Amino acid sequence: MMGGTLIDRVKREERYRSLAGDIERAAEFIEGAEGPVLVVSHYDADGLSAAAAFTAALEKLGLPFQVRIEEQLTPERVKELCSAHEGAVVFLDMGSGVLGSLSEACGGVLVVDHHI
């Protein structure tokens, strides 16, 4: 239902504005990447679909990229991935569970994940 109270509509519009701002910052991060973007994604259907869509967008933008498909992320694996790559790293369908490790090991990172 798109209606609702005025308060509900205002809250929804605030969430949309916040999301639009997040998307704009993510786009700036990707467009400003030096060297290939490392795309790390989960090996399940969600992750493979996300990786396909994301790399198709990078390809359309003419941005170089590398892809790694992973079963799971551990702090050790995060360090391996990030230490072997200079530049932007994007985690798709994974990463929200190891945010602390990501911020320590990776310089610039973007996490796009539907998991809490």
Side-chain angles (χ1 to χ4, degrees):
M1 182 171 118
M2 288 303 293
T5 68
L6 177 60
I7 292 172
D8 291 338
R9 288 192 303 259
V10 168
K11 286 180 182 179
R12 186 171 46 250
E13 288 207 16
E14 287 173 0
R15 286 193 309 268
Y16 291 157
R17 274 194 290 277
S18 176
L19 178 60
D22 290 345
I23 292 169
E24 187 172 328
R25 283 188 298 282
E28 289 169 358
F29 173 75
I30 296 301
E31 290 173 342
E34 293 186 20
V37 175
L38 176 59
V39 178
V40 181
S41 195
H42 198 218
Y43 78 114
D44 66 1
D46 293 352
L48 295 174
S49 298
F54 198 87
T55 56
L58 291 174
E59 199 166 61
K60 274 189 167 187
L61 292 169
L63 297 174
F65 60 88
Q66 299 172 343
V67 179
R68 299 284 183 271
I69 303 299
E70 298 287 330
E71 183 174 349
Q72 82 179 62
L73 286 179
T74 62
E76 295 77 25
R77 185 63 181 139
V78 167
K79 288 177 189 172
E80 289 173 17
L81 289 165
C82 290
S83 67
H85 183 79
E86 291 184 21
V89 182
V90 177
F91 290 88
L92 303 174
D93 192 40
M94 59 187 344
S96 60
V98 291
L99 290 175
S101 297
L102 293 176
S103 64
E104 289 175 16
C106 304
V109 65
L110 172 65
V111 176
V112 181
D113 193 351
H114 65 100
H115 303 98
I116 296 175

